Amino acid sequence: MTDTTQASFSVAPQGVGVVSPQCARFTELLHLRSGGVIADYELVYETYGTLNADASNAVLVCHALSGSHHVAGTYADQPNNVGWWDNLVGPGRPLDTNRFFVVGVNNLGGCHGSTGPSSINPATGKPWGPDFPMVAVVDWVHAQARLADMLGIHQWAAVVGGSLGGMQALRWSMTYPDRVRNCFVIAAAPKLTAQNIAFNDVARQAILTDPDFHGGNYYEHGVVPRRGLRLARMLGHLTYLSDDQMAEKFGRDLRGDSLKYSFDVEFQIESYLHYQGDKFANYFDANTYLLMTRALDYFDPAREAEGDLSAALAVAKANFTIISFSTDWRFSPARSREIVYALLRSGRNVSYAEIDYGAGHDSFLLDDPHYHAVMSTALEGVTV
Amino acid sequence: MTDTTQASFSVAPQGVGVVSPQCARFTELLHLRSGGVIADYELVYETYGTLNADASNAVLVCHALSGSHHVAGTYADQPNNVGWWDNLVGPGRPLDTNRFFVVGVNNLGGCHGSTGPSSINPATGKPWGPDFPMVAVVDWVHAQARLADMLGIHQWAAVVGGSLGGMQALRWSMTYPDRVRNCFVIAAAPKLTAQNIAFNDVARQAILTDPDFHGGNYYEHGVVPRRGLRLARMLGHLTYLSDDQMAEKFGRDLRGDSLKYSFDVEFQIESYLHYQGDKFANYFDANTYLLMTRALDYFDPAREAEGDLSAALAVAKANFTIISFSTDWRFSPARSREIVYALLRSGRNVSYAEIDYGAGHDSFLLDDPHYHAVMSTALEGVTV
């Protein structure tokens, strides 16, 4: 009996449980960086925990390329649909919902419920498709700020994100310096390199040249550019993993007992990539993929200060936690250090952790104990 | 006058000048690693320099994925068609044609004149297409050995290759140990990693899923899978360059004066990759691309010795020169060191140079002074 009781104490803390997405509609014009305008849009979001009386405990979690508002928990009708950062968010977890009111939001242009290319354009009664305006990271930040207004949150206790989500967090600290007390920029970069852009370009070209893309109007043709999306995801996924991790997980293991000497799947790594690509092509919208990768390409906040990132960051007031992963070669630690040095030069308060972890760029989604210990410590220091 | 004379001495040595490809036909059955058989095939080749009386000065140059027999010089009717390793081969160049008789050969399965998928299958009167048997590195070595027989070359003074060409050189030293005195393995690896295979897989899937591929029978349909080939080359090319080199050469430079906020080309790196992809799709055969990448995937000579590369290399008798490049992340220096350590463990004579050069995997094609100095020194030591 005693053993059982002890055992029940030692299990991992429970997550946030069953959650429900909500939807907010905005009818005020949103002027976009591209020059475009969105007049009427919806954002789908989820919240975990309870907003305190003075709304000082709210944390915004920004998603990356293929993420969504579904950060944590499961759905009543989809018990296996676990939020993409569930290991981080919940009672007793680093983003402790006993203390924080956590908000996840699907970005404008997304394909998980917020207004995007697959939504109906009220002006035409048809899906937006290629007419959906180009969205930039700063546009998402403005849209998120309106959601914050609607929720009664004047200042976020923290804005947190990994990869493209980290870029949003960084942008928040510069665009709304008074509205962010703490900023967590994880596995990110201050801007893309030529190589980063090149990988995005190949992925986009796979989609754009798929005959089923139909110039972005595939909805009307009753098809999706599956081949292109599949290739884009295979390539993306491959670059999110580390060489060592792939070697350990797959190596040169064969799918069958012996070589078949054909172009069918021979190696386990091929089987895995095809599975990931097929799965993605079944649910992700191709136009959204194009928009998200272009937002990555365009992100370069230092441009506004003639390339001087520390000058651009001088307006920021948040405390910064910057985290990188040793085996991330998409946004390597050197890229995070660029942010750290710029923050130090501009006199900001910054902590930096370089986590020795083997899972490549995707490390930020996993629950490495050192990584989560850093997150817990930093988040415990966030006053609410 | 004196100045002019001196100037004429200081210009770079001339290359091999105008050359002509030759064609050799073989009618003896060639049994392939895959179990397939080729009964009748041609190999296109070029030679530079003069074979000496005892045929002891012959050097075989093996080509990589997209290379050919046209290693050096130009063609009378195509003065701008310079061989892919012209900077290495010629009078006074590291592969000095005053000393050596250099042979370049287009591999079986290729698309530059040797029998391959785009050749007519005598059994059907139509292009081989997908019926062309899978070829492995060892098959190329056997085919090259027959060409050597035909040319009266019993033993190569050296077999030299970069990347997939380096794998052929390594394979030569193991399959025909008495026929190779010196073996140059440059920017290669003893086998592909999961990541290497994954990049090949994405490239192949781009071709295989192109609607114009028609299961490899595109010749009959009067089309080529351009979209797939273009993507494959863009991805390949991107991985042959180094991150630093791309940053230096392209950075985030825009194609136009300002951002257009569209999915058209915005950045110079996109323009460059599209150009490379389009150019390649205009001349390279898709089925050959599939075959060459599969030969890379399959290459793993240690398999024959239960994974022990040094045991597999114990049969070799050649002197080895192994060269890698600091910024090559496709086949990093660590991969070359695997070969070096295996050779040392098996008691072979091996020299190793790790060249600090910024051009990534493609460095082996360029004429970095340190690299060429190493090659010159090593080749000067080759007795003829």
Side-chain angles (χ1 to χ4, degrees):
Chain A
M1 290 294 285
T2 312
D3 282 341
T4 309
T5 311
Q6 284 179 336
S8 74
F9 276 107
S10 69
V11 298
Q14 292 298 306
V16 298
V18 172
V19 299
S20 298
Q22 296 169 265
C23 187
R25 186 172 168 200
F26 301 87
T27 52
E28 192 190 342
L29 289 185
L30 184 68
H31 291 275
L32 306 171
R33 169 63 61 93
S34 61
V37 179
I38 294 268
D40 188 336
Y41 60 96
E42 292 181 335
L43 294 180
V44 173
Y45 65 100
E46 290 180 9
T47 69
Y48 323 104
T50 307
L51 189 64
N52 62 10
D54 54 355
S56 66
N57 70 334
V59 174
L60 175 66
V61 173
C62 304
H63 71 74
L65 203 156
S66 62
S68 73
H69 55 285
H70 187 37
V71 177
T74 60
Y75 296 139
D77 58 347
Q78 297 173 43
N80 296 323
N81 186 351
V82 180
W84 57 269
W85 223 352
D86 188 77
N87 61 37
L88 193 82
V89 179
R93 294 184 183 173
L95 252 176
D96 190 342
T97 46
N98 290 329
R99 290 186 70 219
F100 295 116
F101 176 70
V102 179
V103 179
V105 55
N106 185 213
N107 282 330
L108 198 63
C111 57
H112 291 95
S114 292
T115 299
S118 54
S119 308
I120 298 299
N121 178 354
T124 64
K126 294 195 293 185
W128 279 94
D131 297 329
F132 197 86
M134 197 70 78
V135 283
V137 169
V138 70
D139 302 323
W140 290 332
V141 167
H142 287 309
Q144 290 158 357
R146 290 189 182 173
L147 179 66
D149 293 341
M150 199 207 71
L151 295 172
I153 299 161
H154 172 67
Q155 187 187 60
W156 298 103
V159 179
V160 181
S163 192
L164 179 55
M167 293 169 171
Q168 292 163 60
L170 192 65
R171 184 77 255 185
W172 257 99
S173 75
M174 301 157 79
T175 302
Y176 295 107
D178 292 318
R179 301 191 68 171
V180 189
R181 287 204 303 284
N182 297 274
C183 179
F184 288 72
V185 181
I186 307 167
K191 64 186 174 194
L192 264 57
T193 61
Q195 188 189 67
N196 293 149
I197 295 171
F199 277 118
N200 283 345
D201 180 48
V202 176
R204 273 194 302 268
Q205 289 297 313
I207 292 169
L208 292 166
T209 64
D210 185 327
D212 284 337
F213 183 65
H214 294 291
N217 289 305
Y218 46 89
Y219 316 101
E220 303 174 20
H221 293 78
V223 293
V224 291
R226 283 189 59 82
R227 288 173 291 246
L229 256 180
R230 176 176 178 270
L231 289 169
R233 182 57 165 185
M234 286 171 62
L235 176 56
H237 197 84
L238 141 61
T239 67
Y240 304 150
L241 305 177
S242 76
D243 193 10
D244 287 351
Q245 177 194 26
M246 289 175 85
E248 197 175 305
K249 203 166 172 183
F250 304 103
R252 297 177 54 84
D253 294 352
L254 299 181
R255 175 89 176 288
D257 294 336
S258 60
L259 290 174
K260 293 190 297 281
Y261 292 104
S262 85
F263 299 119
D264 293 339
V265 168
E266 289 271 30
F267 297 94
Q268 289 289 7
I269 181 64
E270 296 176 296
S271 176
Y272 173 77
L273 278 185
H274 297 187
Y275 171 78
Q276 294 294 338
D278 289 335
K279 192 173 72 168
F280 192 72
N282 276 338
Y283 76 86
F284 207 84
D285 180 64
N287 283 316
T288 290
Y289 197 88
L290 298 177
L291 284 176
M292 296 279 168
T293 56
R294 253 321 186 209
L296 274 163
D297 291 357
Y298 289 141
F299 183 71
D300 183 8
R303 263 184 99 214
E304 293 148 33
E306 293 173 359
D308 183 342
L309 185 61
S310 63
L313 281 164
V315 295
K317 296 178 178 174
N319 301 311
F320 288 86
T321 300
I322 315 291
I323 298 178
S324 70
F325 298 92
S326 55
T327 57
D328 181 354
W329 61 276
R330 191 86 189 236
F331 294 145
S332 71
R335 309 307 313 282
S336 282
R337 288 195 295 264
E338 290 176 38
I339 301 172
V340 172
Y341 296 142
L343 286 166
L344 290 173
R345 278 197 303 275
S346 62
R348 300 305 96 192
N349 185 358
V350 54
S351 300
Y352 174 56
E354 200 168 303
I355 309 289
D356 190 13
Y357 189 50
H361 185 58
D362 270 354
S363 295
F364 84 89
L365 296 167
L366 304 178
D367 59 353
D368 172 66
H370 291 111
Y371 166 39
H372 271 203
V374 168
M375 289 296 284
S376 290
T377 304
L379 285 160
E380 281 162 15
V382 171
T383 53
V384 299
Chain B
M1 288 295 283
T2 313
D3 281 342
T4 310
T5 311
Q6 285 179 335
S8 75
F9 276 107
S10 70
V11 298
Q14 291 298 306
V16 298
V18 171
V19 298
S20 297
Q22 295 168 265
C23 187
R25 186 174 168 198
F26 301 87
T27 53
E28 191 190 342
L29 289 185
L30 183 68
H31 291 274
L32 305 172
R33 169 64 61 92
S34 60
V37 179
I38 294 268
D40 189 336
Y41 60 95
E42 292 180 335
L43 294 181
V44 173
Y45 66 100
E46 290 179 11
T47 69
Y48 323 103
T50 307
L51 189 63
N52 63 11
D54 54 356
S56 66
N57 68 336
V59 173
L60 175 66
V61 173
C62 304
H63 70 75
L65 203 155
S66 61
S68 73
H69 55 286
H70 187 36
V71 177
T74 60
Y75 296 139
D77 58 347
Q78 298 172 42
N80 295 321
N81 186 352
V82 180
W84 57 269
W85 223 351
D86 188 77
N87 61 37
L88 194 82
V89 179
R93 294 185 183 172
L95 254 175
D96 190 343
T97 47
N98 290 329
R99 290 186 70 218
F100 295 116
F101 176 69
V102 179
V103 179
V105 54
N106 185 213
N107 282 330
L108 199 62
C111 57
H112 291 96
S114 292
T115 299
S118 54
S119 308
I120 298 299
N121 178 354
T124 63
K126 294 193 293 184
W128 279 92
D131 296 331
F132 197 86
M134 196 72 76
V135 283
V137 169
V138 71
D139 302 323
W140 290 331
V141 167
H142 288 309
Q144 290 157 358
R146 290 190 183 171
L147 179 67
D149 293 342
M150 199 207 73
L151 295 171
I153 299 161
H154 173 65
Q155 185 186 61
W156 299 103
V159 179
V160 181
S163 191
L164 179 55
M167 293 170 172
Q168 292 162 59
L170 192 65
R171 184 78 255 185
W172 258 100
S173 74
M174 301 157 79
T175 303
Y176 294 107
D178 292 318
R179 301 191 70 171
V180 189
R181 287 204 303 285
N182 298 275
C183 180
F184 288 72
V185 182
I186 307 167
K191 63 185 174 195
L192 264 57
T193 61
Q195 189 189 68
N196 294 148
I197 296 171
F199 276 118
N200 283 345
D201 179 48
V202 176
R204 274 194 302 270
Q205 290 296 312
I207 292 169
L208 292 166
T209 63
D210 185 326
D212 285 336
F213 183 64
H214 294 290
N217 289 306
Y218 45 89
Y219 315 100
E220 304 175 19
H221 293 78
V223 292
V224 290
R226 282 189 60 81
R227 288 173 291 247
L229 255 180
R230 176 176 178 269
L231 288 170
R233 183 56 165 185
M234 286 171 61
L235 176 56
H237 196 84
L238 143 62
T239 67
Y240 303 150
L241 305 178
S242 76
D243 193 10
D244 285 350
Q245 178 194 26
M246 290 174 85
E248 199 176 304
K249 204 166 170 182
F250 304 103
R252 297 176 54 82
D253 294 352
L254 299 182
R255 177 88 176 288
D257 295 334
S258 60
L259 291 174
K260 295 192 295 281
Y261 292 104
S262 85
F263 299 119
D264 293 338
V265 168
E266 289 270 31
F267 297 94
Q268 289 288 7
I269 180 64
E270 295 176 297
S271 175
Y272 173 78
L273 279 184
H274 298 188
Y275 171 78
Q276 294 294 337
D278 289 334
K279 192 174 73 168
F280 192 72
N282 276 340
Y283 76 87
F284 208 84
D285 180 64
N287 283 316
T288 289
Y289 197 89
L290 298 177
L291 283 176
M292 296 279 168
T293 56
R294 253 321 186 211
L296 274 163
D297 291 356
Y298 289 141
F299 183 72
D300 182 9
R303 264 184 98 215
E304 292 147 34
E306 293 173 359
D308 182 344
L309 184 61
S310 63
L313 281 164
V315 296
K317 296 178 178 173
N319 302 312
F320 288 86
T321 300
I322 315 292
I323 297 178
S324 69
F325 299 92
S326 55
T327 57
D328 181 355
W329 62 275
R330 192 83 188 238
F331 294 145
S332 71
R335 310 306 314 284
S336 282
R337 287 196 295 264
E338 290 177 36
I339 301 171
V340 172
Y341 296 142
L343 287 165
L344 290 174
R345 277 197 304 274
S346 63
R348 299 307 95 190
N349 184 357
V350 54
S351 300
Y352 174 57
E354 200 168 304
I355 310 288
D356 190 13
Y357 189 50
H361 186 57
D362 270 354
S363 295
F364 85 88
L365 296 167
L366 303 179
D367 60 353
D368 172 66
H370 291 111
Y371 166 40
H372 272 203
V374 168
M375 289 296 285
S376 290
T377 303
L379 285 160
E380 280 162 16
V382 171
T383 54
V384 296

